[in-house]
Each structure stands twice: as C-alpha cells, then as structure tokens.
Amino acid sequence: MAVVGVLAGAAVGLAASPGLAATGRVIIGSPTGPSAILVDPAAGCHSVNATFPPGTTVSNQTDATIVVYTGGFCTGFPSLALPPGDSTVFSPGSIRVLS
C-alpha cells in the first residue's frame, strides 16, 4: 500500500492489514482537484484525517469493493459500499477495503 499524493493539507493515515491488497487506486477529490490518492490499498480500514468540502468525490478505481464511512476508524453513519469502477459524491472520514 502506498499513498502517492496528499494535496491541500489533507493527510491520509493508513492502517495496515496483513494479506491482500486491492490493485488500483482510490481517489478522493474535492471540487478543486485531487486531495488524496491511495495506490494498491491493503484490505482493512484507512482513516482519512482531513475535512473535505461538499462536493468531494470518492472514486474506486481498484478491483475490490470499498466502503466509505463518514467517521474515522471505519465508523459513522451513513456508510456507502462502492464497487470497483464506481464513484460517488461523499465526504469521507475513512475507507474500508474489502478483500
């Protein structure tokens, strides 16, 4: 797992899980451009330690389903399952990569 870019002061904290990783990228983008990119993220929870404005897009360009949560540490309501190749407008607090 690797974080390629963190822009606009956003920090991405990654909680490593042994085992499988998704292949591809999860892109979190604000209306002004990409804010964070996770490359080949490991299965498990990835906290997004930033505040994203309304209109933030989460794009799942991996081969695994991800679940996007409003809170950190994969908590919060509502949560949203995002299959491979799908994207949505959502203000993420954390993301879980399913294996």
Side-chain angles (χ1 to χ4, degrees):
M1 112 185 92
V3 175
V4 169
V6 180
L7 306 174
V12 176
L14 303 178
S17 287
L20 302 174
T23 300
R25 308 181 300 171
V26 176
I27 300 173
I28 302 170
S30 71
T32 59
S35 299
I37 301 172
L38 290 90
V39 176
D40 298 334
C45 186
H46 302 264
S47 287
V48 180
N49 302 317
T51 302
F52 293 98
T56 295
T57 301
V58 179
S59 178
N60 181 6
Q61 298 176 2
T62 72
D63 59 357
T65 296
I66 65 172
V67 180
V68 185
Y69 297 88
T70 57
F73 307 105
C74 293
T75 63
F77 183 81
S79 61
L80 177 69
L82 203 56
D86 208 355
S87 62
T88 189
V89 175
F90 199 90
S91 293
S94 55
I95 296 168
R96 179 174 302 280
V97 177
L98 305 178
S99 56

